[in-house]
Amino acid sequence: MRVTGIIAEYNPFHGGHQYQIARAKELSGADYCVVAMSGDFVQRGEPAVYSKYLRARAALACGADLVLEIPSLFATGSAEDFASCGVALFSGLGAVDTLCFGSECGDTAPLLRAARYLTGGSAEYEDLLREGIKSGLTWPAARSRALKVLGVLDPDTISLLESPNNLLGLEYCRALLAQNSALTPLAVLRRGNAYHDQGLENGQASASALRKVLSQSPLGLADPAVAPHIPQEAREIFAGSAPLFAGDFSALLNFAISGCIHEGIPFDRFEGISDDLARRLARMALTPAGWEGRIRQLKTRQYTYTRVSRALCHLLLGADARLTAKARTCGYAPYARVLGFNRSAAPLLAAVKQKTSIPLITKTADARKQLTGTPLELLNQDFHASHLWQSVYCTKYGCSLPNEFTQKLTIL
């Protein structure tokens, strides 16, 4: 049995994702595909547009065989934390052979070369990196500058690191090396529009372009511009729900900020909020603003939109920096929570149960019998994140909890 793994968000699931699953199986010769997927909040520091249960079901309907949830602390973390958790999760399962990821270059070799250097590191590189950040450069820009000054990588490899999917692929390779993982990395050439492209023309639209249309069009998934980019199986699954966006959480965010001030809780208690960012937030705390308004208040050349959004998301979720540090010490993924699987993948599930070195959570009611300490705290954090997402959904759309929230395991 050969098994390939994909770390993903599927926010929302679209045709490019379906292609990647099929291509990953083809290139790796895999019999099955396991997906480690973000839950109800994603790495950009925002809520997912659709619930994790619906997105897991869409993935299963379009080629995936088993879907696991990335713990929310790392699903909303930096690229390094996101990648490290996904790699640890697959490594812990014991049944996954390859890690497939989309990239603009479609070539694993240069990403591994860069990963080997950056994982080894050097005092000179670290000094140049800090110098670049102090000068006002963003972290990725400071890294590219340091590598160019040192001349340790060829210019073509350095230029690859300026593309978002290549950067994430680099982090996957670094995590594999740092964890001494037996997984084999395999880059899949990304098909369709660029990661940040907001257009729906010229091939497969990006997830960000689809989210933009969903947020602006009253037709939602029924918009003729969206339909060609989302597989019919996924459209049918999403059709019974409605999307959520960051702005829908503005009131909860302001309440969380106000609560910290009232209770004297320092903002830097939360993951991703530095002393400087905490001071900036304290100065702006009582100035009314929505989610995007808050980001504009805090954004600087050094604090990018995404970094600020992640920091605010951690504050909203009550993601304590100490718990995050403990979870890293526990190996990032001290359990594997199953969101769904295909009946045809019964041999895969049997192999995972036999080989896994971490607890496999299929029933949340039994989780407290399987987990204690930091792993249980990590799972409780996931419950809290999902409850917040569901509460905002029901407040916005005036409904009781629909079936996709109460069904804890999808079996297709």
Side-chain angles (χ1 to χ4, degrees), residues 14-15 33 60 77 101 137 151 184 205 249 256 270 285 334-335 343 346 377 380 387-388 395 408:
H14 59 60
C33 176
L60 293 170
F101 52 87
L137 294 177
T184 300
F249 289 76
F270 303 101
Y335 60 84
R343 293 184 190 276
E377 288 184 74
N380 283 333
H387 291 158
L388 282 182
T395 299
K408 299 303 182 186

Side-chain angles (χ1 to χ4, degrees), residues 202-406:
N202 304 321
Q204 173 62 52
S206 67
S208 59
L210 293 172
R211 291 194 299 272
K212 181 179 179 181
V213 174
L214 289 173
S215 69
Q216 296 177 347
S217 173
L219 297 176
L221 287 174
D223 192 308
V226 172
H229 302 283
I230 298 181
Q232 182 178 347
E233 301 93 331
R235 287 204 311 275
E236 291 173 355
I237 290 168
F238 293 142
S241 188
L244 281 186
F245 303 98
D248 297 321
F249 289 76
S250 296
L252 272 183
L253 175 62
N254 284 326
F255 178 78
I257 292 172
S258 178
C260 286
I261 294 174
H262 177 66
E263 296 178 25
I265 299 173
F267 291 125
D268 59 7
R269 167 181 168 178
F270 303 101
E271 175 63 21
I273 301 184
S274 63
D275 292 345
D276 179 55
L277 188 56
R279 287 191 293 271
R280 291 177 60 82
L281 180 55
R283 289 196 297 269
M284 304 285 188
L286 300 181
T287 304
W291 188 285
E292 290 199 7
R294 287 287 179 200
I295 295 175
R296 287 194 295 270
Q297 287 176 349
L298 301 170
K299 183 180 178 297
T300 64
R301 286 178 61 192
Q302 185 175 358
Y303 295 117
T304 63
Y305 182 102
T306 303
R307 180 177 174 183
V308 173
S309 186
R310 280 201 296 267
L312 294 177
C313 184
H314 290 149
L315 194 158
L316 170 74
L317 298 178
D320 193 292
R322 288 173 296 180
L323 175 58
T324 308
K326 288 195 297 181
R328 292 190 188 104
T329 303
C330 278
Y332 287 93
Y335 60 84
R337 183 182 180 187
V338 178
L339 292 180
F341 64 92
N342 275 313
R343 293 184 190 276
S344 60
L348 167 64
L349 208 56
V352 168
K353 289 179 179 178
Q354 181 182 8
K355 296 182 178 182
T356 184
S357 61
I358 55 178
L360 194 65
I361 309 295
T362 56
K363 295 182 180 179
T364 54
D366 296 337
R368 286 174 176 79
K369 300 176 184 177
Q370 297 174 266
L371 304 177
T372 58
T374 299
L376 183 57
E377 288 184 74
L378 198 59
L379 184 63
N380 283 333
Q381 181 70 49
D382 293 346
F383 294 158
H384 177 61
S386 290
H387 291 158
L388 282 182
W389 195 98
Q390 294 164 12
S391 296
V392 172
Y393 182 97
C394 292
T395 299
K396 180 177 181 178
Y397 294 108
C399 66
S400 58
L401 291 179
N403 289 335
E404 64 262 26
F405 298 155
T406 55

Side-chain angles (χ1 to χ4, degrees), residues 58-285:
L60 293 170
C62 295
D65 298 291
L66 172 65
V67 180
L68 309 171
E69 180 177 4
I70 299 173
S72 59
L73 281 184
F74 299 124
T76 57
S78 65
E80 180 180 356
D81 276 345
F82 180 80
S84 296
C85 185
V87 167
L89 186 53
F90 286 148
S91 298
L93 285 185
V96 180
D97 307 302
T98 58
L99 172 62
C100 289
F101 52 87
S103 71
E104 288 85 359
C105 67
D107 188 357
T108 311
L111 299 179
L112 269 174
R113 281 199 301 272
R116 289 191 183 99
Y117 175 77
L118 292 170
T119 301
S122 72
E124 190 177 7
Y125 166 76
E126 295 296 338
D127 289 342
L128 285 169
L129 184 64
R130 283 192 291 270
E131 179 184 301
I133 292 173
K134 286 182 180 179
S135 70
L137 294 177
T138 62
W139 194 85
R143 177 168 63 184
S144 291
R145 173 183 172 275
L147 291 173
K148 289 175 182 176
V149 170
L150 291 172
V152 292
L153 296 173
D154 61 272
D156 289 341
T157 298
I158 295 175
S159 67
L160 291 179
L161 304 185
E162 296 175 359
S163 302
N165 285 284
N166 285 341
L167 276 173
L168 196 50
L170 169 67
E171 294 300 336
Y172 293 144
C173 291
R174 289 186 66 195
L176 290 169
L177 295 171
Q179 296 176 28
N180 196 27
S181 173
L183 295 171
T184 300
L186 180 58
V188 176
L189 182 64
R190 191 179 187 278
R191 190 180 70 169
N193 292 354
Y195 182 85
H196 295 298
D197 195 327
Q198 297 294 302
L200 296 180
E201 304 82 13
N202 304 321
Q204 173 62 52
S206 67
S208 59
L210 293 172
R211 291 194 299 272
K212 181 179 179 181
V213 174
L214 289 173
S215 69
Q216 296 177 347
S217 173
L219 297 176
L221 287 174
D223 192 308
V226 172
H229 302 283
I230 298 181
Q232 182 178 347
E233 301 93 331
R235 287 204 311 275
E236 291 173 355
I237 290 168
F238 293 142
S241 188
L244 281 186
F245 303 98
D248 297 321
F249 289 76
S250 296
L252 272 183
L253 175 62
N254 284 326
F255 178 78
I257 292 172
S258 178
C260 286
I261 294 174
H262 177 66
E263 296 178 25
I265 299 173
F267 291 125
D268 59 7
R269 167 181 168 178
F270 303 101
E271 175 63 21
I273 301 184
S274 63
D275 292 345
D276 179 55
L277 188 56
R279 287 191 293 271
R280 291 177 60 82
L281 180 55
R283 289 196 297 269
M284 304 285 188

